[in-house]
Amino acid sequence: MSNLVEQATQEMTAAIEAWFAERLKRTDLEAAVKRTTLQMGVFNDFRLDYKPGRTTADDFHLADADDIAPRTPSRLDEAVVRDTIAPRLAALVRAKLETLADTPFVDYRFSFRGKFQTAQGMLHLNLLEYVNAGKRTSLLEHIHSYVTQKLEHGSRPTKKLETFFLARHLLDPHLFPQPDIAWTIAQFERIEQLNKSRPQALAEHRSDIIQAVSAWAEKQFLPQFYDVQQSSYRATEYTLKEGAALDTQALAPIDLLLYGAVMILRHEPSYAKSTGVKFLDIARELGSERAVRMLKEGSGTFAPDAVHLKNAQLECRANDVFATISIAIVREEEEAYAQALAFITHLLNNGFPKSCQIKLKSKVKAYLPIKGLAKSDTHRFFANALAYPTLQPQLEAYARAAIEQFEFYADTEGEKNCMPGSYATFGLGLLDARYFPLVQHYMANVDEEHQSVQDQFTAAFAEKHGVTRDSAPVLAACLRACTDNAKVKIQAELEEVEKLELFCQQLQGLEGYLVEHMLYPIWGKLEKLATLARKAQGRRKELLLALLEAASKTHA
């Protein structure tokens, strides 16, 4: 064996030894596997990345350990890596795994992969697939026991960690080479049912299920039929392989792909929904008649009379796959909009995507008196409905059903992006003080990193309602949710000591950075406020100085 090959082998061996040594220092391994019977060990994957003079193992660098092994000066021949070095590395890792087989260190299965920079280019090798038969058998027993006791016969909410592991196990081809798709989906649905009384926990369980199904689709199912190109900068591209075998047996798991698509569309944030639609479109391309129906009519989750309403006054159709609600107003009257609002709210309360958009056919083209909002059909529908005072309670019911942090109307983007419920909330908030609590609820859920329409609403709200005992808390909630680009013209009102006092009361007890953030839309930089304070007198001076002090306060 040449010196070059020996040096390279030593360098890679040192990286492997260091990786194992570093992880064996952990003292929490035994406690980790005791958290749930669905975890057999902690580590199940290891990736070696070799480049001449620099070898990493799962991003574990040896750059600061120059005495561990010599550095290879040039690139190796691909055949030498494949035929000589790779077997030695695999044997080394296998020996270590055999030694650690009965410990919490290694899971029932362990993958060892390598990436090698050679003279002929980058070489990727699957060096070792290690399976501990005893642990695999035990894990399968634990899985079936868990399903029987906790899901099929259980009645209590389950733990998120259990769902995290179970969802992945049920879709692991090494555990279930020929999975029963209907049974698997039934377990996922049972998890949802058991946890429906805890909305936040339910969302976390769903997220784990969606991640597991998406990984199964992208790594196992779809690569059988498609060439998959993934990128950090654009959506994954799927190109149907020539001569892909679209036989009945190969396509049997397609119901799981459709299940995953619906889960994404119904429960994932707006930015992820394109993946759900893509899964459906792929299923259609693969010949699924059910996918064709879903793309045209919806997922089938809702009863036919829940997604279609037609009478002499209007026609409504809803498709949860595309998150669209089509509304054709035949008679421009209050009852038509009342029925449409009831139709929409019922859907939202029963799981229809909150990020839905409305496609409206109406002769009326009203919009809210707020600059910067999208002139969309969704906006127009709610502005039209706001013309009828008796519909205000229904509009509030819709808004409370629609408001959801990190969700956005599907027909808005960029600076016009806005959370579901925005148009109804804004319109009601400008019309009547009875809906001030709704505005506060809305602002508490605003994601100011991804929408800024609250800036324009806040300016309009301040102009409409000013600073009063009733409006001051709402104005404060709005300012708190505004971006740094907001401009609110209430300086003139705050010349009055009584109103300035009301405003100051809303900022008491808040962190300094938050107070500064809320003052900026009104006065800009604190230096301007300081100048005003120096010129003021009496109680007004005291209040301005108190604002400055509050804005400068740091967290204790």
Side-chain angles (χ1 to χ4, degrees):
M1 184 179 295
S2 69
N3 288 337
L4 177 61
V5 173
E6 186 60 38
Q7 285 181 359
T9 304
Q10 288 181 27
E11 185 176 330
M12 288 181 255
T13 298
I16 293 169
E17 295 280 4
W19 184 88
F20 276 92
E22 182 68 20
R23 279 145 184 81
L24 282 169
K25 292 178 182 177
R26 286 181 53 173
T27 59
D28 63 335
L29 299 182
E30 188 169 348
V33 299
K34 285 183 177 180
R35 296 176 300 173
T36 171
T37 59
L38 299 177
Q39 185 180 15
M40 301 305 296
V42 174
F43 299 106
N44 57 18
D45 185 64
F46 174 52
R47 295 175 300 277
L48 183 74
D49 185 356
Y50 166 78
K51 294 177 183 177
R54 184 176 68 85
T55 299
T56 61
D58 283 341
D59 295 326
F60 181 74
H61 292 260
L62 300 179
D64 297 329
D66 293 332
D67 57 334
I68 291 180
R71 296 292 185 249
T72 51
S74 58
R75 297 184 181 182
L76 298 162
D77 185 78
E78 180 179 307
V80 172
V81 174
R82 187 188 302 274
D83 301 331
T84 304
I85 297 177
R88 291 180 62 181
L89 300 179
L92 170 64
V93 172
R94 176 180 290 277
K96 288 189 171 294
L97 296 177
E98 292 289 356
T99 302
L100 298 166
D102 297 326
T103 72
F105 182 93
V106 63
D107 203 355
Y108 90 92
R109 182 173 65 89
F110 192 94
S111 299
F112 175 31
R113 297 188 295 276
K115 183 170 71 172
F116 305 88
Q117 195 174 79
T118 71
Q120 289 77 29
M122 193 63 71
L123 174 64
H124 296 264
L125 292 177
N126 289 326
L127 296 163
L128 177 66
E129 287 291 339
Y130 172 86
V131 175
N132 183 311
K135 282 189 173 182
R136 179 181 180 277
T137 299
S138 295
L139 180 56
L140 284 169
E141 291 174 353
H142 292 160
I143 290 170
H144 287 294
S145 175
Y146 177 85
V147 168
T148 300
Q149 295 177 19
K150 298 291 185 69
L151 301 185
E152 294 176 352
H153 299 298
S155 59
R156 299 174 61 84
T158 57
K159 297 178 180 179
K160 179 185 180 298
L161 186 67
E162 295 167 346
T163 297
F164 173 85
F165 284 110
L166 181 68
R168 285 153 180 77
H169 291 336
L170 294 183
L171 300 176
D172 183 344
H174 297 274
L175 292 172
F176 297 92
Q178 295 180 316
D180 182 334
I181 297 300
W183 179 83
T184 300
I185 293 174
Q187 306 319 312
F188 293 155
E189 291 176 338
R190 181 60 176 158
I191 290 171
E192 289 190 90
Q193 184 180 9
L194 289 171
N195 292 282
K196 65 182 180 181
S197 63
R198 305 183 301 164
Q200 182 60 42
L202 176 59
E204 294 174 350
H205 286 277
R206 282 173 173 160
S207 178
D208 284 330
I209 292 170
I210 289 169
Q211 288 180 28
V213 175
S214 297
W216 166 85
E218 294 169 349
K219 296 178 182 179
Q220 295 183 52
F221 183 65
L222 295 180
Q224 298 176 68
F225 315 104
Y226 290 85
D227 291 318
V228 182
Q229 288 187 321
Q230 293 183 319
S231 170
S232 302
Y233 308 103
R234 60 179 182 273
T236 302
E237 296 180 3
Y238 300 90
T239 306
L240 190 64
K241 294 178 179 178
E242 290 187 17
L246 305 182
D247 57 85
T248 304
Q249 184 176 356
L251 291 171
I254 205 164
D255 280 349
L256 184 58
L257 183 68
L258 297 177
Y259 168 81
V262 173
M263 286 287 283
I264 291 170
L265 289 166
R266 294 189 67 182
H267 304 300
E268 286 290 89
S270 300
Y271 61 79
K273 296 188 189 297
S274 60
T275 300
V277 175
K278 185 63 179 178
F279 284 175
L280 281 172
D281 197 47
I282 286 174
R284 176 197 56 77
E285 189 174 35
L286 292 176
S288 169
E289 293 182 3
R290 185 180 168 209
V292 173
R293 291 195 303 271
M294 292 169 72
L295 286 164
K296 183 179 180 180
E297 303 170 6
S299 68
T301 301
F302 300 92
D305 60 351
V307 293
H308 185 213
L309 168 66
K310 184 177 182 180
N311 55 40
Q313 294 166 311
L314 79 165
E315 181 175 10
C316 301
R317 286 186 180 274
N319 186 314
D320 59 328
V321 168
F322 291 106
T324 57
I325 299 177
S326 299
I327 301 175
I329 303 293
V330 179
R331 296 179 184 172
E332 290 290 343
E333 57 190 32
E334 178 184 306
E335 181 58 25
Y337 285 94
Q339 290 185 55
L341 283 168
F343 180 84
I344 298 168
T345 305
H346 175 75
L347 286 171
L348 294 183
N349 283 332
N350 286 276
F352 196 85
K354 296 187 176 184
S355 60
C356 63
Q357 63 172 306
I358 293 173
K359 295 184 176 181
L360 178 66
K361 288 185 179 180
S362 167
K363 295 178 182 178
V364 179
K365 294 186 177 181
Y367 295 103
L368 296 177
I370 301 172
K371 296 178 181 179
L373 299 183
K375 295 295 180 68
S376 65
D377 282 356
T378 307
H379 178 182
R380 188 159 62 97
F381 170 80
F382 290 107
N384 289 358
L386 282 158
Y388 303 100
T390 56
L391 295 184
Q392 289 179 8
Q394 268 191 272
L395 284 160
E396 180 184 19
Y398 156 76
R400 289 192 178 277
I403 291 170
E404 185 76 29
Q405 192 174 37
F406 309 126
E407 290 282 357
F408 305 95
Y409 280 126
D411 55 358
T412 61
E413 60 182 14
E415 63 182 12
K416 299 183 187 299
N417 213 26
C418 60
M419 182 168 58
S422 293
Y423 305 121
T425 301
F426 292 174
L428 292 171
L430 292 180
L431 285 173
D432 198 310
R434 288 181 298 171
Y435 300 105
F436 284 0
L438 173 64
V439 174
Q440 289 173 288
H441 171 65
Y442 175 92
M443 292 299 169
N445 286 279
V446 162
D447 174 17
E448 62 270 19
E449 291 186 10
H450 296 99
Q451 77 163 56
S452 59
V453 293
Q454 67 273 18
D455 295 356
Q456 286 72 40
F457 170 76
T458 301
F461 181 90
E463 183 178 356
K464 173 73 175 180
H465 296 294
V467 182
T468 67
R469 190 168 301 279
D470 290 333
S471 70
V474 189
L475 184 59
C478 293
L479 289 168
R480 187 168 183 163
C482 280
T483 73
D484 291 336
N485 295 319
K487 294 188 184 302
V488 181
K489 297 179 180 180
I490 56 171
Q491 282 195 50
E493 276 201 82
L494 295 180
E495 292 288 333
E496 299 179 33
V497 171
E498 294 79 6
K499 293 188 175 184
L500 181 59
E501 187 124 34
L502 283 174
F503 181 72
C504 288
Q505 289 172 4
Q506 303 305 318
L507 278 64
Q508 290 180 3
L510 298 181
E511 293 287 343
Y513 75 91
L514 191 53
V515 173
E516 183 176 3
H517 171 77
M518 295 167 68
L519 297 178
Y520 190 84
I522 305 170
W523 286 288
K525 294 182 178 180
L526 293 179
E527 287 81 354
K528 183 175 180 180
L529 187 59
T531 300
L532 292 173
R534 284 196 297 271
K535 296 178 180 179
Q537 295 181 350
R539 180 59 177 159
R540 175 173 168 75
K541 185 182 187 72
E542 292 177 6
L543 292 170
L544 292 177
L545 289 173
L547 285 177
L548 286 168
E549 183 180 357
S552 304
K553 182 174 58 178
T554 58
H555 182 64

